[in-house]
Amino acid sequence: MARHGANVAVNYLGTSQSSLIASLRAAVASLSSSSSSSSPGPRFLARPGDISQRQTSVDFVAATVATFGSLDVFVSNAGVCRFADFLTLPESLYSATVRINLDGAFFATQAAAAQMVSQGHGGSIIGISSISALVGGAGQTHYTPTKAGVLSLMQSTATALGRHGIRCNAILPGTIRTQLNDEDLRDDGKRAYMEGRIPLGRTGVPEDIVGPAVFLACASLSGYVTGAQILVDGGLFVNLQ
């Protein structure tokens, strides 16, 4: 988003993600330093907080508006996934996954939408769901329902917020190499198996999500798109062979 001129605000959990936040801050700063004086570059805001708590989203949106003046695009991206056997899955893991992935998405979307409604000029909300919203996973019985919930949340908020000019859409990533699965994909056998199932022949990287996100964020590109879902999976979902 910053490469396309947007100011960027990020909520993060805390010190465990400090290095990631530092790299994001540096990347945005480099864009700002390369901008002309007549066109200042994007700015960056990072605030720690537990997204499973409603007040975190309320405070985060308020801080974003106080810093940048308005909120025009919101991406709900927080998520956790720890594989576990269904029959022995502890209640604590189930509850934590639902609180972060689904409750957090609901609270964040609600806070962002309330701000956009108050501004009166619409906006774009993007929920990061998953291919797991459409398929099952033996070790993800606590995770897949939350991602199906995010997809449904975007569909329902699209109908609830359309009269305010707010578009709500979902991106469904396939196997994207992130902190969630980096350790798993270090296993050469697992990685080769996954790549063999993907028609494009590789697992994804975070940069693969950028284009779809910018498309959905930009009203001049997707102004008549709401309640939609975009699979970003290298063709994995449609490969039945």
Side-chain angles (χ1 to χ4, degrees):
M1 295 292 185
R3 290 192 185 99
H4 294 270
N7 294 318
V8 176
V10 176
N11 166 258
Y12 66 105
L13 182 58
T15 55
S16 64
Q17 296 179 313
S18 295
S19 61
L20 175 61
I21 293 300
S23 66
L24 289 173
R25 190 183 301 278
V28 174
S30 69
L31 292 172
S32 297
S33 63
S34 63
S35 299
S36 65
S37 57
S38 60
S39 178
R43 293 181 291 157
F44 183 77
L45 170 70
R47 283 181 61 92
D50 181 356
I51 200 66
S52 70
Q53 303 299 312
R54 179 180 181 274
Q55 195 60 41
T56 296
S57 292
V58 173
D59 294 343
F60 176 57
V61 168
T64 299
V65 174
T67 303
F68 300 137
S70 66
L71 177 65
D72 306 300
V73 177
F74 189 84
V75 180
S76 174
N77 188 43
V80 294
C81 177
R82 199 178 90 202
F83 286 74
D85 175 71
F86 173 58
L87 294 178
T88 58
L89 196 151
E91 182 180 352
S92 58
L93 176 58
Y94 172 80
S95 296
T97 303
V98 172
R99 287 289 292 165
I100 294 169
N101 293 9
L102 187 54
D103 294 1
F106 181 92
F107 295 141
T109 299
Q110 187 182 53
Q115 176 61 35
M116 291 176 181
V117 169
S118 72
Q119 292 169 179
H121 54 255
S124 173
I125 297 175
I126 303 167
I128 304 299
S129 177
S130 169
I131 190 175
S132 296
L134 307 178
V135 297
Q140 298 178 299
T141 55
H142 55 309
Y143 171 78
T144 56
T146 67
K147 289 304 181 177
V150 171
L151 173 57
S152 181
L153 176 64
M154 289 300 102
Q155 293 168 335
S156 291
T157 52
T159 64
L161 299 172
R163 62 192 176 96
H164 299 289
I166 299 171
R167 299 176 297 109
C168 301
N169 296 286
I171 293 177
L172 283 61
T175 303
I176 307 294
R177 190 155 192 165
T178 67
Q179 291 173 309
L180 289 181
N181 60 15
D182 189 55
E183 183 176 345
D184 204 40
L185 290 177
R186 288 196 192 107
D187 184 308
D188 291 340
K190 288 182 180 180
R191 188 177 67 255
Y193 170 73
M194 289 303 303
E195 290 172 345
R197 294 177 59 201
I198 299 171
L200 290 185
R202 67 173 178 86
T203 55
V205 293
E207 289 76 11
D208 291 317
I209 308 299
V210 173
V214 171
F215 167 73
L216 292 175
C218 182
S220 63
L221 296 176
S222 60
Y224 200 56
V225 178
T226 194
Q229 54 185 285
I230 300 179
L231 267 168
V232 186
D233 67 346
L236 175 61
F237 180 72
V238 296
N239 185 18
L240 299 178
Q241 303 300 318

